Amino acid sequence: MRASSANPIATTIDAAPAGRRLTVGGVVIAVLAVFWLFVTAAPFLFLIFTSLKDTGDYMSSASWALPKRWAIENYAMLLGTAKFYHYLLNSLIVVIVSTLVIVVASAMAAYAFARIRFRFANTLFGFVVAALIVPVHVTLVPIYLMTKGMGLYDTTAALMGPYIAFALPVSIFILTEFMRQIPKELEEAAQLDGCGPFKIFWTIFFPLSGPGVATVAIFNGIMMWNEFIFAYVLTSTPAHRTLPLAIWDFQSEYASNIPMTLAVIVLTSLPLVIAYAFGQERIIKGMMAGSVKG
């Protein structure tokens, strides 16, 4: 009887169902993925645990120690203040309205650049692309002076204009590349049915550009939700300021209460974490679809 020289590990791997074969590379990737998950999640977990400590617990315990008593009152106190809801409402208004305008305007412009032939189209699209390299903060002083001159200073409208203007170039670029991949046969069939450019855009190109539109909406929504400099310069009262400035204001109010300050950061960042958790796949698919020509 000949002794079997088969490797028991290899035998187990070969016995695995097709499509689920265990490989050394797969194990390494899985381990690295778990490690990277811990690295990226550790700061947020530290933030949450520390925000649930009271001041005495924070001063006497180790940084990574769990709270001895879960100080839920930190969040209850914040959620019980009207000022926090002013910040939240202002952020929601600015982000939702600006995102809707950005999506509609950039989609219409992208359709024109991708499908309609007109004079100086390439030149105008070149200006759109060139706008991507302009640092937005060099426009801070002119925008401040313009806002003061128009009587819009310290209003939510003062933030919407710059946010929309800064987001349009990259949004138009993404959606233009996306719409260029839509088959021409669909457009030609719609033209044979008597559809004009406006109807073709709303019934064919805009729905089929869903992944690209979602990418533009989520990407710009996250950017506007986190924006601090323009919100700080163009507004001055809590009634019109957005959530990033809540951290600034509450930090001075609760300077000696670090857990309370961290609770503000958690409440401010939580909507972004939730939005990105549900939208990351759409962002990646939209970026890939808009950057690779079929």
Side-chain angles (χ1 to χ4, degrees):
M1 181 176 175
R2 186 176 58 183
S4 175
S5 60
N7 189 334
I9 298 178
T11 303
T12 303
I13 294 174
D14 292 337
R20 293 186 178 180
R21 295 182 182 276
L22 184 63
T23 62
V24 176
V27 173
V28 172
I29 292 175
V31 172
L32 291 177
V34 172
F35 173 74
W36 186 247
L37 175 63
F38 175 78
V39 170
T40 54
F44 196 68
L45 292 176
F46 170 79
L47 197 64
I48 294 175
F49 290 148
T50 307
S51 68
L52 289 170
K53 296 179 179 179
D54 56 36
T55 305
D57 190 6
Y58 171 77
M59 299 297 293
S60 61
S61 63
S63 298
W64 281 98
L66 293 176
K68 298 176 182 177
R69 183 183 67 84
W70 300 92
I72 306 297
E73 62 270 13
N74 291 341
Y75 289 90
M77 187 179 300
L78 287 174
L79 295 176
T81 60
K83 187 166 67 171
F84 180 82
Y85 291 102
H86 279 304
Y87 289 117
L88 177 61
L89 181 61
N90 291 335
S91 285
L92 289 174
I93 292 174
V94 170
V95 171
I96 291 174
V97 174
S98 299
T99 301
L100 289 175
V101 175
I102 291 167
V103 166
V104 174
S106 61
M108 288 183 172
Y111 173 70
F113 285 126
R115 293 302 192 183
I116 300 177
R117 294 184 178 180
F118 58 95
R119 195 176 183 182
F120 304 122
N122 292 333
T123 303
L124 290 176
F125 188 70
F127 280 119
V128 171
V129 176
L132 295 174
I133 66 174
V134 177
V136 296
H137 294 109
V138 302
T139 64
L140 184 59
V141 174
I143 288 178
Y144 170 76
L145 296 176
M146 185 184 302
T147 303
K148 292 282 285 187
M150 296 175 64
L152 294 176
Y153 179 74
D154 195 26
T155 63
T156 52
L159 301 178
M160 295 179 189
Y163 288 172
I164 293 171
F166 297 147
L168 282 178
V170 65
S171 302
I172 293 172
F173 178 77
I174 292 173
L175 292 177
T176 298
E177 297 303 315
F178 197 94
M179 289 185 180
R180 283 174 178 170
Q181 301 175 45
I182 297 176
K184 292 183 178 180
E185 291 77 10
L186 294 175
E187 184 178 7
E188 293 171 353
Q191 290 174 345
L192 291 176
D193 289 339
C195 296
F198 191 76
K199 188 173 183 180
I200 291 174
F201 167 75
W202 282 112
T203 58
I204 297 177
F205 280 84
F206 192 78
L208 291 179
S209 301
V213 170
T215 300
V216 168
I218 296 172
F219 175 78
N220 289 307
I222 291 174
M223 295 293 291
M224 290 183 289
W225 189 272
N226 284 328
E227 204 284 320
F228 178 85
I229 297 299
F230 280 89
Y232 180 72
V233 172
L234 299 180
T235 59
S236 59
T237 59
H240 301 100
R241 288 190 156 181
T242 52
L243 268 181
L245 294 172
I247 302 174
W248 179 274
D249 288 346
F250 282 110
Q251 182 179 3
S252 59
E253 185 174 345
Y254 301 110
S256 59
N257 192 343
I258 302 300
M260 183 72 75
T261 303
L262 297 184
V264 178
I265 298 176
V266 171
L267 291 176
T268 303
S269 59
L270 191 59
L272 280 186
V273 174
I274 296 174
Y276 191 79
F278 286 98
Q280 60 176 333
E281 185 177 352
R282 287 183 174 271
I283 293 178
I284 296 172
K285 285 184 178 180
M287 287 292 189
M288 294 298 294
S291 61
V292 180
K293 293 185 178 181

